Amino acid sequence: MEGPHHRNSLPSGTTRRTALGLLVGAPLLSACSGVQQSLSQFSSGNPEAGPAGPQQQPQAVGTGQVKIGLILPLSASGNAGLAAQSMRNAAEMALAEFQNPNIQLLIKDDGGSPQGASQGAQQALSEGAEIILGPLFAGSVPAVAQLTRPRGTSVIAFSTDSSVAGRGVYLLSFLPESDINRIVDYSAGIGKRSFAAMVPDNAYGNVVEAAFKQAVGRKNGRVVAFEKYGADRATPARTVAQALGQADALLIADDGDSVVATADALTAAGANLRNIQLLGTGLWDNPRVFASPVLQGGLYAAPDPSGFRSFAGRYRAKYGGEPVRTATLAYDAVALMAALARTQGAQRFAPETLTNPSGFAGIDGLFRFRSDGTNERGLAVMKVASGGSTPVAGSPKSFGA
């Protein structure tokens, strides 16, 4: 799996403590973009077709008194297993970099199945786990929650499917809603009031649609055109192209290749995309987008990329390879557990602690859990430029009320 979503190499010590995910209100720098894309491969489904490998044996890492379950599809086939191994490495890296953490990771392989996740959670709970990190697949989250909720044990899962969040089940992932809220708020702040949009006719597009219409409404803007597309982009592109004269901004929310194809379809339908402010999500963090002439100057929300660059450098030095983009989620989860175990006493993993409105600082920037289990992230606004992107608005240093 390609490492998707999105400062300097951190020395050990106090600077690292902030990057390590702790604590409430600490400034947060993000790494974003590819993450939604890479996690979207796993959020609703199963590993790529093909037999899974032999299940990995449970392992305990660390010698602390506070036990944390970590459930990942380590033996799943294809990209899912590769992603899981990278996330496991990142989790162990967080443990190594946090000074004298009082936690022990109980690592369980769920094989990419709900049954495996349930078995792993049962083992971790019976061994004294106070909280569960994972699983990765949305389909496996309810199987774990069924065991944890009666005990009052919280789960921090890595799925991007908001429908599996809920009481006691929090998602530490990159949710499309955060991207949409950030880019619409920024656009309204620079005077954009009338919006058009083209999104894919799939689960991701449905989430974007709801978030987009709500965000525009909050800013007293108006949606002058909204179209979904499947295999045929030409027809919805013509509809949107005809309405662009009334719009200040156009959102195209999809992955890199599809964004380029959609922009080409709009151009073919007669739209002059240079005359309108193009908007996107973190999935725009893609070389295909940066190379597209018509997408130059487009704006998208994503974590500040410097956080991931620093993390990736340390990961390479430790493991001799590249981390998947989702590896920071496991790193931040473990670092947060270590920080809460050190500072919050008996209430360390209580819902009131996890949903502190000030949020937490991590590799990927500021984040906080909502009481409904979803999360909010502090994202930067990036501008598409040839060969890359440049920040036009930085990540917030704190959350508003």
Side-chain angles (χ1 to χ4, degrees):
M1 164 188 120
E2 157 183 287
H5 225 7
H6 14 95
R7 254 134 141 108
N8 310 321
S9 190
L10 291 167
S12 55
T14 54
T15 335
R16 178 166 290 151
R17 195 180 64 237
T18 304
L20 280 180
L22 185 57
L23 196 56
V24 181
L28 174 43
L29 293 168
S30 296
C32 172
S33 110
V35 172
Q36 283 173 358
Q37 186 170 13
S38 64
L39 267 185
S40 66
Q41 302 174 47
F42 313 129
S43 63
S44 60
N46 301 311
E48 294 176 350
Q55 188 166 38
Q56 294 193 16
Q57 291 302 306
Q59 182 184 2
V61 180
T63 58
Q65 297 173 317
V66 179
K67 295 183 177 180
I68 312 290
L70 175 62
I71 301 174
L72 292 169
L74 293 163
S75 63
S77 61
N79 286 342
L82 295 175
Q85 186 59 55
S86 188
M87 293 176 77
R88 173 191 172 141
N89 288 347
E92 294 188 21
M93 188 169 120
L95 205 60
E97 290 185 348
F98 200 95
Q99 294 177 340
N100 303 313
N102 186 30
I103 64 173
Q104 182 180 53
L105 286 181
L106 308 176
I107 301 174
K108 310 296 180 184
D109 174 19
D110 68 17
S113 74
Q115 296 82 2
S118 178
Q119 182 180 18
Q122 185 65 65
Q123 290 175 358
L125 292 168
S126 67
E127 292 165 19
E130 297 183 24
I131 191 168
I132 301 291
L133 308 181
L136 179 57
F137 293 132
S140 297
V141 176
V144 173
Q146 195 170 17
L147 298 172
T148 56
R149 280 200 175 110
R151 296 168 173 254
T153 301
S154 293
V155 173
I156 297 179
F158 302 123
S159 169
T160 56
D161 183 348
S162 299
S163 71
V164 300
R167 178 175 57 87
V169 177
Y170 305 94
L171 300 185
L172 181 58
S173 51
F174 289 88
L175 302 179
E177 297 93 323
S178 286
D179 291 14
I180 296 299
N181 289 335
R182 176 64 164 132
I183 200 62
V184 170
D185 287 356
Y186 179 81
S187 300
I190 59 172
K192 308 304 180 187
R193 292 289 177 267
S194 299
F195 296 81
M198 278 188 71
V199 304
D201 190 7
N202 58 21
Y204 178 80
N206 293 341
V207 172
V208 167
E209 177 179 13
F212 177 69
K213 290 178 176 177
Q214 289 172 9
V216 172
R218 277 198 306 273
K219 292 298 179 180
N220 297 316
R222 65 186 185 121
V223 178
V224 299
F226 190 97
E227 292 291 325
K228 290 183 174 179
Y229 55 82
D232 169 37
R233 284 181 172 81
T235 304
R238 282 194 295 272
T239 303
V240 171
Q242 291 167 4
L244 285 186
Q246 308 169 57
D248 302 319
L250 168 64
L251 173 76
I252 306 175
D254 211 336
D255 63 32
D257 288 347
S258 294
V259 168
V260 173
T262 302
D264 290 345
L266 285 161
T267 301
N272 184 350
L273 299 184
R274 290 186 176 84
N275 289 343
I276 193 164
Q277 180 59 62
L278 295 173
L279 307 176
T281 67
L283 298 186
W284 278 38
D285 196 43
N286 183 294
R288 288 290 308 280
V289 172
F290 303 147
S292 170
V294 296
L295 296 174
Q296 297 302 302
L299 302 175
Y300 65 92
D304 183 316
S306 60
F308 182 70
R309 282 199 300 267
S310 170
F311 165 80
R314 304 199 312 277
Y315 184 101
R316 281 192 299 271
K318 186 174 182 68
Y319 297 109
E322 294 295 326
V324 299
R325 187 54 191 81
T326 54
T328 57
L329 302 179
Y331 184 103
D332 279 352
V334 171
L336 177 59
M337 296 303 98
L340 295 178
R342 175 174 293 174
T343 62
Q344 302 301 305
Q347 290 295 103
R348 49 189 168 250
F349 307 138
E352 309 79 56
T353 303
L354 296 175
T355 58
N356 187 310
S358 296
F360 308 101
I363 295 294
D364 287 312
L366 201 61
F367 66 93
R368 62 181 173 185
F369 297 114
R370 299 181 183 276
S371 58
D372 65 2
T374 62
N375 70 61
E376 181 180 356
R377 286 186 174 272
L379 300 175
V381 175
M382 309 296 291
K383 183 175 184 177
V384 174
S386 180
S389 61
T390 57
V392 296
S395 305
K397 303 305 181 191
S398 64
F399 285 113

